[in-house]
Every structure is written in C-alpha cells, then in structure tokens.
C-alpha cells in the first residue's frame, strides 16, 4: 500500500523541520520553506505538490506508527463516500436533463398565454365594435325624432366619418407596397430595398391629397392623428407593428383618385424607388372595400399656462 | 477496487432511484459535486503517489463538500452567491486540473 513517499511533501507534515528561510535538510537543493506558507495554493500548484497536504501528513504519521494497514471499517467508509459521489453525479445529470423540458414547457406556456391574451383582446374589441354600433343606432333613433336632432345627426355622421370613428365602405384604390426581393435588383445593400415609414407616410398623404375619404393600411384604419413610424425593422402604425406587403386602401371614386394620384409627388417618389431599389409597388382598383372604425382617441388640447380648464 | 465499485453503484443507484432534490438544496448541488470531484481526484493522486489515507480522504470529501455548499449559502445570504460560486469553482477547478495532471504524469509518464 505504501509507496515511496515524496520527500518534499513531508515538509508540510507535523514533523517537518521548522525555520523559515533556511534550506530544508534532505530536500532538493535550493528549496525553501516559505514565510507565506499559509497562502500556498498557487505556490503548491507551480511546484506540482500534492494539493492536499493532509495525505502527506497522514503518510508520515503512519510510517512513524509502522505501516499499519487501514481498518476495514475505514475502507467501507471510503466506498460509501464514493457511492455518494456517484449518486450526486447521477442526480445532477438527471436534474439537468429534467430541467430542459421544464424550460421548453415554460416558453410554450408563455406563448400560449400571449395567444390567449391576443384572442381576448380581439374578442373585446369586437364587443366594443358591436356596442358602439348599438349606441350609434340608438342615438340615431333618438335624434330622428326632431328636425334639430336630424341635423345634429348629420353633422355627427360627417364628423365621425372624418375622424374615422365609424366603419366606411365603398369603391377604393388599393396601393401595394413591399420590400424588394432579397437579392436587390441593383445589387444594393439589403437595407435600401426596405419599405420605410417615410415611404408609407408619403403614400398616405398623397392619397389624402388625391381626395380619399378614408385610408387604411393592411386593414388598419388611419385617423387624422395616426402615426406611422419605424421601430427597428418593423413599421408601426398607431403603435401596432405591421409587416409587408403593405396594402394601402383608399376609399373614394377610383377614377378620380387615380387621376389625382398618378403623377403626384408620392407616385413619382415610389416609382423612382421601384426603379432604383426594386421596391414592389402597384396600384389597383377595387370595386368594394370595407374599412373598420379606428379606435377613438380623445383629442388633447394645449392651453396657455395658468389658464383653467 | 472497492472504491470503483462504490462509484459505479452510486451512479446506478442515482439513475434508477431518481431521488428528487428538494428545491432549497438545488443551488448547492453543482458546487457540492465539484468539491466531491476535487476530493476524488486528490484521493486518486494520493493513491498513485502511494500516500493514500482513508481517513484523510473521507474527511476531505465530507469537509470540502460541506464547506463549498456553506460558502455558496453564505454568498446567497450576502447577495454575492454567484460570484462566490465562481470563486469556489475556479479554486476547485484549478486543484482538479493540477491533480489530474499529476495523475496523468504518474499513469502515462507524460
């Protein structure tokens, strides 16, 4: 059981020669007992010494006692310790493997929750639409009882249509805009072939200018205060991310709209983008399009400081 | 020999019994394993160098494991648990590697 004991290790034992700074008797020449022996991790490491000096000490002690073999009881304890190591390893491995599906399940649950919440929101907005229709029907019925009421109803209808607060339907002009196909037509960088918020803004403004009575992008109704902007790679319309192809529907007489739009600044700009960067851009008539009402936004008024509401 | 049988039996036991680790113990399991590995490599190296001692091995195994877990526990209480775990892993990792290098030298002479 006992092999040759590494002489150097014995310095750490209880019977190691004491005396800092002096060469150790019997040790290899040039080796010193360090004053910093308590901070020995790195120095032990570099000298290649046993990391646990307890073994050397025990070996020295045992040699002093005359090489008595270890009792059987201790050997059993060693086996038991290693049994524990094995159990730990196996349990940790099993734990890691069990942890993976847990993470996947949690992600799936989050995705499910997102879907269910989106469905909930959709249902609520449908209910809102229904209730709003109901309200306006009741209001119209109430207003229809008097001449002043009928006049007010007409004014209200005009205002609501202008504010995109009620659904609109009719013949329309549909302008389709989409990113260039990936290998850019002119070999331009990928970013150049994308539809930016500015392009959509100019297109929408051009359609308003051509006389559109209502405009929607991908079925989302635009109000006079709608914002079209870019966030990262997505185009946000009223803070809702949209993805291409962008279908901009403009309600109004298609002939008049087309006449007003063709050759306008917006048309010229988009045609130039199509020719230069390969942006896909097309205009088509549609016999009957329907746009939903936009969510009403309460207008906010600025007032001079100090003035009461 | 006994030791090897014990290790294999332990792995099999863990795989078949599937003991569930209580939640409060889970952060300390990896550190305890690293400490146990350190004790194991130290023991193997001592065995190869002919200075193996059963009592030292058992005491160092139990002591290292408990102290490593305690350090991490203390770090968790102080709010520096992850940093302390890193420190423990680095120190034990250094020891494991140096012991493994010594074992390699003894076994293969390289």
């Amino acid at each position: 059981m006992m092999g040759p004991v590494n002489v150097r290790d014995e310095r750490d034992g209880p019977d190691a020669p004491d005396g800092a700074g002096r060469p150790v008797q019997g040790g290899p020449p040039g080796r010193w007992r360090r004053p910093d022996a308590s901070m020995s991790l790195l120095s032990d490491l570099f000298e290649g010494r046993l990391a646990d000096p307890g073994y050397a000490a025990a070996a020295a002690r045992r040699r002093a006692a005359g090489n008595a073999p270890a009792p059987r009881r201790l050997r059993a304890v060693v086996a038991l310790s290693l049994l524990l190591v094995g159990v730990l390893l196996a349990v940790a491995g099993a734990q890691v493997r069990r942890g993976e599906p847990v993470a996947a399940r949690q992600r799936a649950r989050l995705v499910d929750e997102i879907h269910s919440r989106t469905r909930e929101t959709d249902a609520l907005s449908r209910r809102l639409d229904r209730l709003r229709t109901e309200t306006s029907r009741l209001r119209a019925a109430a207003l229809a009882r008097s001449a002043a009421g009928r006049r007010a109803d007409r004014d209200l209808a005009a205002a609501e249509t202008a504010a995109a607060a009620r659904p609109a339907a009719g013949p329309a002009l549909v302008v389709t805009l989409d990113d260039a196909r990936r290998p850019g037509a002119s070999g331009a960088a990928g970013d150049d072939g994308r539809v930016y918020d500015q392009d959509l803004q100019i297109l929408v403004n051009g359609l308003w200018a051509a006389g559109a009575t209502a405009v929607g992008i991908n079925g989302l109704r635009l109000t006079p205060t709608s914002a079209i902007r870019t966030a990262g790679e997505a185009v946000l319309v009223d803070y809702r991310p949209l993805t291409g192809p962008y279908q901009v529907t403009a309600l109004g007489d298609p002939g008049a709209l087309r006449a007003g739009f063709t050759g306008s600044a917006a048309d010229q700009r988009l045609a130039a983008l199509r020719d230069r960067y390969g942006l896909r851009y097309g205009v088509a008539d549609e016999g009957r399009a329907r746009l939903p009402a936009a969510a009403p936004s309460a207008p906010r008024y600025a007032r001079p400081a100090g003035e009461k509401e | 020999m006994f030791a090897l049988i014990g290790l294999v039996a332990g792995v099999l036991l863990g795989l078949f019994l599937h003991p569930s680790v209580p939640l409060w113990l889970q952060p300390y399991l990896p550190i305890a394993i690293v400490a146990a590995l350190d004790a194991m490599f130290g023991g193997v190296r001592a065995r190869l160098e002919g200075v193996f001692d059963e009592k030292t091995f058992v005491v160092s195994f139990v002591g290292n494991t408990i102290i490593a877990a305690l350090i991490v526990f203390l770090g968790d209480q102080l709010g520096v648990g992850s940093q302390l775990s890193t420190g423990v892993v680095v120190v034990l990792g250094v020891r494991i590697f140096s012991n493994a290098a010594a074992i390699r030298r003894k076994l293969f002479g390289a």
Side-chain angles (χ1 to χ4, degrees):
Chain A
M1 177 92 204
M2 288 291 297
V5 173
N6 192 334
V7 182
R8 273 185 290 135
D9 292 332
E10 283 185 81
R11 283 181 297 144
D12 290 324
D15 53 354
D18 190 29
R22 268 186 283 119
V24 177
Q25 297 296 314
R31 298 251 176 206
W32 302 74
R33 185 174 176 83
R34 294 160 183 276
D36 61 345
S38 62
M39 298 156 59
S40 57
L41 177 67
L42 288 179
S43 49
D44 283 358
L45 193 67
F46 288 132
E47 288 179 22
R49 247 185 297 177
L50 201 58
D52 206 337
Y55 284 117
R61 206 163 50 236
R62 221 154 30 150
R63 201 172 39 179
N67 279 0
R72 287 193 75 81
R73 191 165 47 84
L74 264 176
R75 287 200 196 167
V77 177
V78 169
L80 206 68
S81 306
L82 279 160
L83 189 86
L84 204 58
V85 175
V87 170
L88 277 176
L89 281 175
V91 167
Q95 201 78 23
V96 168
R97 231 177 318 145
R98 233 178 299 165
E100 278 168 8
V102 166
R105 261 207 309 277
Q106 275 172 344
R107 198 170 50 237
R109 215 176 50 219
L110 281 176
V111 169
D112 281 351
E113 191 168 338
I114 289 171
H115 284 319
S116 79
R117 288 294 162 96
T118 312
R119 269 198 302 278
E120 224 170 274
T121 317
D122 288 348
L124 283 175
S125 69
R126 269 198 301 279
R127 179 151 173 254
L128 179 67
D129 278 347
R130 228 174 23 246
L131 289 175
R132 206 182 278 147
T133 318
E134 176 82 6
T135 318
S136 57
R137 196 177 55 76
L138 289 174
R139 191 174 50 210
L143 287 173
R145 285 186 203 137
S146 68
R150 278 194 290 278
R151 213 165 39 243
D153 191 30
R154 268 200 307 281
D155 291 350
L156 187 63
E160 274 187 346
T161 308
R166 59 169 58 183
L173 195 69
V174 177
V175 182
T176 309
L177 208 58
D178 197 4
D179 299 348
R181 286 193 179 80
R182 264 296 126 172
S186 57
D191 239 23
D192 287 340
R194 269 216 340 264
V195 175
Y196 288 145
D197 51 350
Q198 305 166 26
D199 307 333
L200 278 172
Q201 285 166 11
I202 287 170
L203 170 60
V204 169
N205 284 339
L207 288 169
W208 286 126
T213 54
V215 177
I217 302 180
N218 287 7
L220 198 65
R221 181 81 174 271
L222 296 183
T223 70
T225 55
S226 288
I228 303 174
R229 52 175 64 172
T230 301
E233 298 210 346
V235 172
L236 299 186
V237 176
D238 275 343
Y239 303 107
R240 246 196 256 194
L242 297 184
T243 51
Y246 305 96
Q247 286 206 320
V248 183
T249 309
L251 293 191
D253 176 41
L257 272 179
R258 197 187 267 276
F261 185 68
T262 308
S264 68
D267 185 33
Q268 282 174 12
R269 178 191 162 106
L270 292 174
L273 285 176
R274 175 184 57 199
D275 297 340
R276 178 125 184 239
Y277 297 114
L279 230 68
R280 279 170 282 171
Y281 166 53
V283 182
D285 291 348
E286 193 165 317
R288 186 169 173 76
R290 200 181 169 283
L291 285 175
S297 57
R300 282 182 294 180
Y301 301 99
R303 61 180 64 82
E307 189 177 293
K308 290 211 168 148
E309 242 177 80
Chain B
M1 194 61 206
F2 273 123
L4 204 65
I5 292 171
L7 186 65
V8 172
V11 170
L12 292 180
L13 216 62
L15 282 181
F16 283 115
L17 287 188
H18 268 290
S20 63
V21 184
L23 205 62
W24 57 270
L25 205 63
Q26 278 184 6
Y28 311 116
L29 188 65
I31 289 290
I33 286 174
V34 175
L37 279 181
D38 170 58
M40 208 173 77
F41 275 97
V44 171
R45 179 182 178 185
R47 176 69 181 266
L48 289 176
E49 292 186 348
V51 291
F52 184 75
D53 180 73
E54 282 83 356
K55 191 174 149 209
T56 311
F57 172 75
V58 171
V59 170
S60 78
F61 167 69
V62 175
N64 280 4
T65 312
I66 290 176
I67 287 175
L70 262 184
I71 287 177
V72 176
F73 170 74
L74 193 68
D76 274 343
Q77 301 302 311
L78 294 175
V80 289
S82 60
Q83 289 93 325
L84 265 185
S85 311
T86 310
V88 169
V89 168
V90 166
V91 169
L92 292 181
V94 163
R95 284 171 50 125
I96 289 175
F97 266 100
S98 77
N99 279 336
I103 292 168
R104 192 197 62 215
R105 274 198 296 275
K106 283 278 173 200
L107 283 183
F108 306 112

